[in-house]
């Protein structure tokens, strides 16, 4: 898994188009945006930043580039979650769960159900 570098809100918005639509030229990206459309140079700057951060790469077509994602959305989410757990919960997933229970975002019954699902999944994979 790639090391996930933090994205700005705008960069995350731009990379989402690549995850949903596959390889794109910046011109196509501009066309997909709702009105008022961002300027070509603005999106081009975000795309180059995403490439520098390791989210996108490109193929050369004559004098232009077609960009494509090299980190998928699931890898990004997992990396982002790890970053949040490390930054705000002292790298403890137990603290995350404890916080969710204390804040009543998740009930003890839901935790039990989740544990049952994980145990069931573990039992299936250990029989293979």
């Amino acid at each position: 898994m790639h090391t996930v570098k933090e994205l700005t809100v705008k960069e995350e918005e731009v990379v989402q188009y690549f995850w949903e639509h596959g390889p794109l030229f910046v011109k196509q990206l501009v066309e997909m945006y709702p009105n008022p459309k961002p300027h070509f140079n603005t999106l081009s700057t975000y795309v180059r930043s995403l490439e520098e951060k390791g989210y996108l790469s490109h193929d050369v077509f004559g004098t232009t580039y077609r960009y494509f994602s090299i980190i998928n959305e699931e890898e990004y989410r997992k990396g982002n979650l790890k970053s949040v757990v490390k930054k705000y919960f002292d790298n403890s997933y137990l603290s995350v769960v404890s916080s969710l229970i204390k804040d009543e975002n998740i009930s003890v019954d839901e935790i039990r159900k989740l544990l049952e699902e994980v145990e069931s999944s573990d039992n299936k994979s250990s029989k293979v």
Side-chain angles (χ1 to χ4, degrees):
M1 185 164 79
H2 295 90
T3 302
V4 176
K5 293 183 176 90
E6 226 169 287
L7 296 182
T8 65
V9 172
K10 279 294 187 185
E11 287 171 336
E12 195 171 317
E13 177 184 295
V14 170
V15 79
Q16 192 73 41
Y17 280 91
F18 290 92
W19 290 332
E20 291 174 14
H21 302 284
L24 296 167
F25 293 96
V26 174
K27 181 181 179 194
Q28 292 173 307
L29 185 60
V30 172
E31 291 167 3
M32 290 178 171
Y33 262 81
N35 287 324
K37 294 186 183 306
H39 192 273
F40 178 94
N41 291 342
T42 303
L43 288 182
S44 183
T45 299
Y46 288 127
V47 167
R48 283 195 312 276
S49 175
L50 286 163
E51 187 171 30
E52 286 171 20
K53 289 183 176 184
Y55 285 85
L56 300 178
S57 188
H58 69 268
D59 291 320
V60 179
F61 286 83
T63 59
T64 188
Y65 294 165
R66 183 177 71 175
Y67 294 89
F68 57 91
S69 66
I70 54 176
I71 290 182
N72 66 36
E73 191 171 9
E74 185 178 342
E75 285 177 300
Y76 175 67
R77 273 186 297 172
K78 284 180 182 176
N80 223 7
L81 179 60
K82 284 182 181 179
S83 173
V84 167
V85 172
K86 183 177 183 180
K87 187 174 182 179
Y88 297 107
F89 295 95
D90 197 26
N91 226 14
S92 168
Y93 284 85
L94 189 57
S95 293
V96 173
V97 173
S98 178
S99 176
L100 289 170
I101 292 170
K102 287 176 186 167
D103 293 344
E104 297 179 18
N105 292 332
I106 189 168
S107 71
V108 175
D109 286 340
E110 289 172 314
I111 293 289
R112 281 191 188 107
K113 184 178 180 192
L114 181 61
L115 283 172
E116 288 170 8
E117 289 174 14
V118 169
E119 287 172 348
S120 172
S121 173
D122 282 350
N123 289 337
K124 287 178 187 171
S125 63
S126 65
K127 291 178 182 177
V128 175

